[in-house]
Every structure is written in structure tokens, then in C-alpha cells.
Amino acid sequence: MEPWTDRAACRDADPDLFFPVTEDRTRRAIAAQVARAKTVCARCPVWSQCLSYAVETRQDHGIWGGLTASERRRLARGAETRTHRPPDAA
């Protein structure tokens, strides 16, 4: 069986899209980049595996499974990973 990463919508995307650099950037620019990354996640067939991996391995940076690091920390503190749905693509 192929690994879930082989079916990820982000597989051919620029990885930098999912790891916004916050230094010397406006909140608006960062939010726009995060929104673009989440749009990719919203159409991903393996977003739940991605999110589970990020939560289980405590990924501290980047967009994984449609969530930022702070969103994943909140999820890990209280909600079940399988109940999360990525945001609808705009």
C-alpha cells in the first residue's frame, strides 16, 4: 500500500507555502499565505492522515491537515482529530 503522503494534494506544491515565515511580514500577508495553504488542504484526500500525523508527532510549525500549529495544539488539548474538517476552499 502506498503511503498517504503519495496521495497528498500538497505533494507537488511549493513546501514554503505551508511554512509561512513571519519575520518582517505583515499579519495580512501571513494570513493570506495560510489561507492559500488551507485551500490546498481543503481539497486533499488524505487531510485526516496528515493532521493525525502532525498531532501525534507534535509538529510545531507549518500547516498540516488544514490547521496551523496553534490550531493543532488547541485540537490536541480537547477535540478528536477525526471530527475536524478542513475549511472549504474559497
Side-chain angles (χ1 to χ4, degrees), residues 24-77:
D24 298 327
R25 295 186 63 204
T26 65
R27 285 185 188 189
R28 183 183 222 167
I30 295 164
Q33 183 174 345
V34 168
R36 287 192 308 274
K38 287 183 173 190
T39 298
V40 174
C41 295
R43 62 176 164 66
C44 185
V46 294
W47 68 267
S48 62
Q49 291 97 322
C50 178
L51 179 57
S52 292
Y53 170 82
V55 170
E56 290 168 9
T57 60
R58 295 187 175 126
Q59 296 297 313
D60 290 335
H61 304 286
I63 311 299
W64 294 79
L67 295 181
T68 64
S70 60
E71 292 168 335
R72 289 191 305 276
R73 282 190 293 274
R74 282 194 300 273
L75 180 71
R77 283 194 301 261

